[in-house]
């Protein structure tokens, strides 16, 4: 692995000098009808954005011109469209502001800060004009959503071109996006442009921006950003003009214009978002992975000595993490990935992440592992985060915890143990809500966090208990192969597991993801050589049991769940199946019993483990 120290974006000598060739590589499969579409009836919309942005770094205001070509791949006639105007959330009286001030446990980063913003500190996106195929169309800004009545309906298979002029202001850094963060990053530009809402078989998803995450249309972005010449920019896409920016010195010619502003020209193929960050004091390091993407690291010069060292040590670890995810999920398909100091914690974006940089080494690697893993679980497997937050967050926790265990040599027997404990604590409380809950509808922020991150992670880890670890790994890889570059739904992971194993698994999805039913099995009694188990919770499970005999030997038993219609691969003794409706189950052993243990590896999310073991 060769480490390269270059001025910013000079890597694009390889990528940008023949931009059409590189774009063609990155665009396979196409987003309108993915080559890996799981069935021929699948469709998804497509967008082509062209934007020219003129940023004033003194006022933090910018002007934008956007041309958007929208392809209606649906079978429906569209009479309206909607745009997200996310920056409008950062205004006193917005839904984000009011929700933060009325929820019992607000996000400390938000609190009541929005309500106290001055006019020159708020965020906004103001649409000045909007045309459809050259015709002015009616539009109304309603909070963080632009409602648009079309001049002419868009027929199935038809394209429409929208031209928009807009003005915007970057809010002070409060949540994800903003200016002048606590760590001094000038611009963290996420969710910063008028973004067309997604339309799918469920209809429009024009959700207001209240607190949670996002959903977007797959497409291609062509963005020109004019900004103060002293600022260094990083984020999504491939830079098209490194020589003009002044960072393409290896070509032998630098054609940097003698102006106060430089225009950075990016293209990003086959993505569903575009994010950038900029600061005059970024250090930029480059690490070229063998047979892999170029990794970029942008961080502030004014970090202390330990923090600067941590950012240096992070770089080879990021490469190791990328290799882990490539191996255990599927290959990263783009040519670059950027880890950028910015934002307010850690958040994933197209080909990049924004993370805070004043961290210990372990924390820096940990947040990078999590956000990088999101490239697979949400960015490439683009679930609707506002509706199915547990899929992207939980699956990311699952895979990033395993990655950290290996890359950081943590030696944990179960890297998801904390997630299990967190979920079980919530399940035993009175405030759990089903995983079907919309991300903005949780009564408490803390419940959202536990549900999305911990219970979501347990869902996947425990699926390994149900079908076997080897089958789980096959399922994850097939899920990626079949659904990358699409918008999979939660049940797609279960159907994938069913196809891998031949088992019936809808019961698992229904009980664990759609209800608050809990798992609770216990050893009811041992009489002679007869063991009686009981099901106390409503959720069914197949059961692993280890019996220790008086002579010191042990024997593992596997009790299949009847409704599963089969068994996972196991070396245990397979005995008769257990039908869910029967509250008890008895079986006999051949030798005198010393102890009985249900789920000895503790991979089942049993909410009361005190009754899982009995000693004679």
């Amino acid at each position: 692995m060769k480490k390269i120290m270059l001025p910013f974006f000079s890597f694009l000598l390889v990528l940008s000098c023949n931009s059409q060739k590189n774009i063609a590589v990155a665009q396979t499969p196409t987003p309108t009808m993915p080559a890996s579409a799981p069935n021929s009836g699948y469709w998804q919309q497509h967008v082509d954005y062209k934007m020219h942005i003129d940023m004033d770094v003194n006022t933090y205001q910018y002007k934008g011109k956007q041309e958007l070509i929208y392809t209606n791949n649906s079978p429906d006639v569209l009479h309206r469209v909607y745009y997200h105007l996310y920056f409008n959330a950062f205004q006193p009286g917005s839904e984000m502001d009011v929700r933060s001030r009325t929820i019992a446990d607000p996000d400390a980063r938000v609190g009541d800060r929005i309500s106290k913003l001055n006019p020159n500190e708020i965020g906004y996106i103001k649409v000045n004009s909007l045309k459809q195929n050259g015709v002015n169309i009616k539009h109304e800004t309603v909070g963080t959503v632009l409602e648009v009545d079309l001049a002419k309906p868009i027929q199935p298979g038809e394209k429409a071109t929208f031209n928009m002029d807009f003005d915007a202001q970057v809010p002070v850094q409060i949540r994800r996006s903003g200016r002048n963060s606590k760590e001094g990053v000038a611009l963290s530009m996420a969710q910063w442009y008028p973004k067309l809402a997604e339309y799918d078989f469920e209809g429009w998803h024009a959700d207001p921006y209240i607190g949670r995450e996002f959903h977007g249309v797959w497409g291609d972005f062509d963005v020109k950003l004019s900004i103060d010449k002293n600022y260094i920019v990083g984020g999504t896409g491939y830079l098209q003009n490194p020589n003009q920016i002044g960072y393409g010195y290896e070509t032998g010619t630098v054609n940097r214009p003698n102006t106060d502003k430089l225009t950075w020209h990016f293209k990003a193929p086959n993505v569903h978002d575009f994010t950038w960050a900029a600061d005059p004091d970024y250090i930029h390091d480059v690490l070229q992975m063998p047979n892999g993407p170029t990794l970029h690291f942008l961080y502030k010069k004014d970090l202390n000595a330990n923090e600067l060292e941590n950012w240096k040590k992070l770089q080879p670890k990021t490469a190791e993490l990328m290799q882990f995810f490539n191996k255990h999920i599927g290959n990263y398909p783009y040519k670059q990935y950027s880890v950028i100091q910015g934002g307010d914690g850690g958040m994933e974006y197209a080909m990049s992440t924004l993370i805070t940089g004043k961290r210990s080494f372990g924390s820096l690697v940990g947040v990078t592992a999590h956000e990088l893993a999101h490239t697979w679980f949400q960015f490439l497997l683009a679930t609707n985060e506002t509706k199915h937050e547990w899929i992207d967050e939980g699956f990311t926790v699952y895979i990033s915890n395993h990655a950290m265990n290996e890359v950081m040599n943590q030696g944990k027997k179960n890297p998801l143990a904390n997630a299990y404990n967190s979920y079980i604590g919530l399940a035993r409380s009175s405030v759990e809500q089903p995983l079907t809950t919309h991300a903005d509808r949780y009564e408490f922020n803390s419940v959202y966090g536990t549900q999305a991150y911990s219970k979501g992670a347990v869902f996947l880890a425990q699926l390994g208990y149900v079908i076997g670890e080897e089958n789980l790994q096959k399922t994850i890889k097939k899920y990626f192969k079949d659904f990358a570059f699409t918008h999979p739904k939660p049940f797609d992971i279960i159907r994938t597991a069913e196809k891998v194993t031949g088992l019936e698994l809808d019961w698992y999805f229904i009980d664990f993801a759609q209800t608050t039913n809990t798992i609770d099995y216990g050893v009811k009694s041992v009489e002679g050589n007869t063991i009686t188990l009981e099901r106390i919770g409503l959720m069914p499970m197949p059961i692993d049991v280890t019996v220790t005999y008086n002579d010191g030997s042990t024997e593992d038993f596997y009790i299949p769940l009847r409704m599963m219609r089969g068994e996972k691969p196991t070396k245990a003794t397979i005995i008769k199946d257990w039908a869910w409706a029967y509250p008890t189950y008895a079986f006999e052993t051949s030798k005198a019993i010393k102890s009985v243990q249900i789920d000895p590896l503790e991979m089942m999310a049993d909410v009361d483990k005190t009754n899982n073991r009995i000693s004679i």
Side-chain angles (χ1 to χ4, degrees), residues 324-382:
F324 182 94
F325 300 138
N326 283 342
K327 177 181 178 181
H328 292 279
I329 311 174
N331 287 331
Y332 179 78
Y334 303 104
K335 303 300 181 182
Q336 73 96 358
Y337 187 85
S338 298
V339 180
I340 306 171
Q341 183 183 356
D344 62 352
M347 181 64 191
E348 73 279 3
Y349 300 106
M351 304 188 204
S352 62
T353 180
L354 300 181
I355 63 173
T356 48
K358 294 180 178 291
R359 296 171 177 266
S360 67
F361 179 60
S363 176
L364 196 62
V365 178
V367 71
T368 301
H370 182 87
E371 305 309 338
L372 177 58
H374 269 304
T375 292
W376 286 263
F377 292 124
Q378 205 283 324
F379 191 77
L380 290 163
L381 295 161

Side-chain angles (χ1 to χ4, degrees), residues 3 5 285 299 308-316:
K3 187 171 183 180
M5 306 298 290
D285 295 338
Y299 51 100
L308 289 171
E309 183 183 3
N310 290 340
W311 274 86
K312 297 295 184 184
K313 293 191 299 182
L314 170 68
Q315 296 168 28

Side-chain angles (χ1 to χ4, degrees), residues 388-440:
H388 313 301
E389 67 285 350
W390 62 277
I391 290 286
D392 74 288
E393 293 296 355
F395 289 17
T396 291
V397 169
Y398 168 86
I399 199 69
S400 63
N401 280 23
H402 279 285
M404 285 290 288
N405 198 43
E406 178 173 304
V407 168
M408 299 297 282
N409 300 311
Q410 293 174 335
K412 295 180 179 178
K413 182 179 179 181
N414 179 8
L416 280 303
N418 287 340
Y420 274 81
N421 292 335
S422 180
Y423 158 66
I424 290 169
L426 177 63
R428 298 179 66 174
S429 74
S430 60
V431 294
E432 184 186 4
Q433 296 173 244
L435 287 178
T436 52
T437 304
H438 188 285
D440 282 317

Side-chain angles (χ1 to χ4, degrees), residues 5 18 79 84 109 170 241 303 363 465 483 533 613:
M5 306 298 290
N18 189 348
H79 298 272
H84 298 284
R109 291 166 292 193
V170 186
N241 59 337
L303 295 174
S363 176
Y465 166 85
F483 292 98
L533 309 180
R613 179 181 174 85

